[in-house]
């Protein structure tokens, strides 16, 4: 079955320290992968996407993610957390389905940033 | 213009009311989506419109009735809702439906409360 798993439901970091949000996927084919961020009571905003051009993908607000096929992972990182990074993060995979591709959302990881 | 707009931002309705949610995009996207999101959960797909035709209905109860009057507009008509339908309703759009590199653009959502 094709799926996406976010390994942590909550992550807490101190401001200025690195952020790591983990995502593993299961797909029969080479997937396309996305990270979205959602601030409270807001819509989802695309942070970055993997489109097979490069395994290290840089996104907005200093985030980046590395596609590792051997580990079926697409972890999101940021060198230094900011208070404004506190939000919900969704790893999303686009997998092959009947007649096209289907979007599957991970369960989400809530990022807390302490002052 | 890379924005998806939704109105109203908040809606409170009784179980016998009829109301509508509205979504608009001017990016020339030909696929539009309705999602329902409960607290601390990822968005759940409800409907997909592709080239103004209903493409996917994820077994949504008939008290939710989508409509796509033109390529820029998407409505969700609500009637006889239940309290458990209270949620954040998100609209999204993408260039086309079912493409591998399908990046979706989300609106800010309508916070619906059913009394």
């Amino acid at each position: 079955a094709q799926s996406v798993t976010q390994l942590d439901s909550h992550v807490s970091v101190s401001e200025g320290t690195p952020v790591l949000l983990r995502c593993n996927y299961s797909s029969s084919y080479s997937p396309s992968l996305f990270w979205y961020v959602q601030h409270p009571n807001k819509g989802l905003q695309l942070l970055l996407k993997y489109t097979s051009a490069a395994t290290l993908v840089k996104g907005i607000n200093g985030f980046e993610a590395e596609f590792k096929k051997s580990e079926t992972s697409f972890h999101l990182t940021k060198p230094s957390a900011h208070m404004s990074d506190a939000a919900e993060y969704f790893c999303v995979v686009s997998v092959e389905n009947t007649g096209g591709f289907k979007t599957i959302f991970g369960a989400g990881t809530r990022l807390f940033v302490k002052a | 213009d890379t924005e998806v707009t939704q109105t109203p931002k908040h809606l409170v309705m009784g179980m016998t009311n009829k109301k509508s949610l509205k979504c608009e995009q001017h990016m020339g996207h030909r696929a539009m989506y309705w999602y329902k999101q409960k607290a601390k959960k990822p968005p759940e797909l409800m409907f997909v419109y592709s080239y103004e035709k209903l493409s996917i209905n994820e077994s949504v109860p008939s008290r939710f009735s989508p409509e796509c009057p033109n390529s820029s507009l998407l409505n969700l008509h609500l009637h006889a809702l239940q309290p458990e339908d209270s949620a954040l309703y998100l609209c999204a759009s993408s260039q086309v439906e079912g493409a591998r590199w399908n990046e979706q653009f989300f609106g800010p959502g309508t916070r619906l409360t059913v009394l």
Side-chain angles (χ1 to χ4, degrees):
Chain A
Q2 302 178 102
S3 65
V4 56
T5 303
Q6 292 184 241
L7 297 163
D8 307 291
S9 59
H10 299 87
V11 170
S12 183
V13 301
S14 297
E15 193 175 20
T17 64
V19 175
L20 170 64
L21 305 183
R22 299 183 294 164
C23 174
N24 283 96
Y25 69 91
S26 170
S27 174
S28 304
Y29 306 91
S30 184
S32 54
L33 295 153
F34 309 81
W35 276 100
Y36 286 86
V37 61
Q38 184 178 30
H39 288 91
N41 295 309
K42 301 288 187 187
L44 279 71
Q45 181 185 17
L46 182 71
L47 281 175
L48 49 80
K49 63 182 179 182
Y50 167 70
T51 59
S52 80
T55 56
L56 183 61
V57 182
K58 293 190 184 300
I60 62 171
N61 301 334
F63 284 95
E64 62 182 38
E66 186 171 8
F67 174 69
K68 292 188 176 179
K69 187 174 181 178
S70 60
E71 298 176 12
T72 61
S73 69
F74 190 56
H75 301 335
L76 183 70
T77 60
K78 182 173 180 177
S80 176
H82 191 274
M83 294 297 288
S84 60
D85 294 327
E88 188 83 22
Y89 292 80
F90 293 101
C91 181
V92 177
V93 60
S94 182
V95 297
E96 192 151 345
N97 194 34
T98 306
F101 285 80
K102 179 179 176 179
T103 297
I104 299 178
F105 283 80
T109 298
R110 170 71 66 175
L111 176 65
F112 296 93
V113 182
K114 299 173 289 188
Chain B
D1 184 0
T2 59
E3 192 181 19
V4 176
T5 59
Q6 289 187 245
T7 54
K9 287 192 185 338
H10 302 276
L11 179 62
V12 179
M13 60 186 291
M15 289 190 284
T16 58
N17 292 157
K18 285 186 182 180
K19 296 286 184 184
S20 296
L21 310 185
K22 181 180 172 182
C23 172
E24 195 165 1
Q25 58 88 15
H26 295 287
M27 294 177 277
H29 290 174
R30 304 314 299 270
M32 296 185 77
Y33 310 77
W34 280 116
Y35 287 89
K36 174 183 178 180
Q37 187 180 27
K38 301 286 269 187
K40 303 185 192 302
K41 297 289 186 185
E44 295 174 36
L45 184 65
M46 300 174 71
F47 302 103
V48 181
Y49 271 81
S50 179
Y51 291 88
E52 296 99 72
K53 287 186 169 38
L54 184 63
S55 171
I56 295 176
N57 176 342
E58 292 284 3
S59 303
V60 178
S62 60
R63 57 186 184 268
F64 295 90
S65 175
E67 179 196 19
C68 189
N70 59 55
S71 60
S72 300
L73 280 175
L74 186 66
N75 298 321
L76 186 63
H77 303 296
L78 314 172
H79 175 53
L81 294 193
Q82 304 296 310
E84 59 264 30
D85 297 322
S86 298
L88 182 67
Y89 287 83
L90 293 164
C91 174
S93 70
S94 65
Q95 284 189 336
V96 293
E97 182 204 356
R100 182 176 176 180
W101 316 118
N102 218 20
E103 171 188 342
Q104 294 185 29
F105 292 77
F106 285 83
T110 293
R111 173 68 62 188
L112 175 66
T113 303
V114 182
L115 301 176

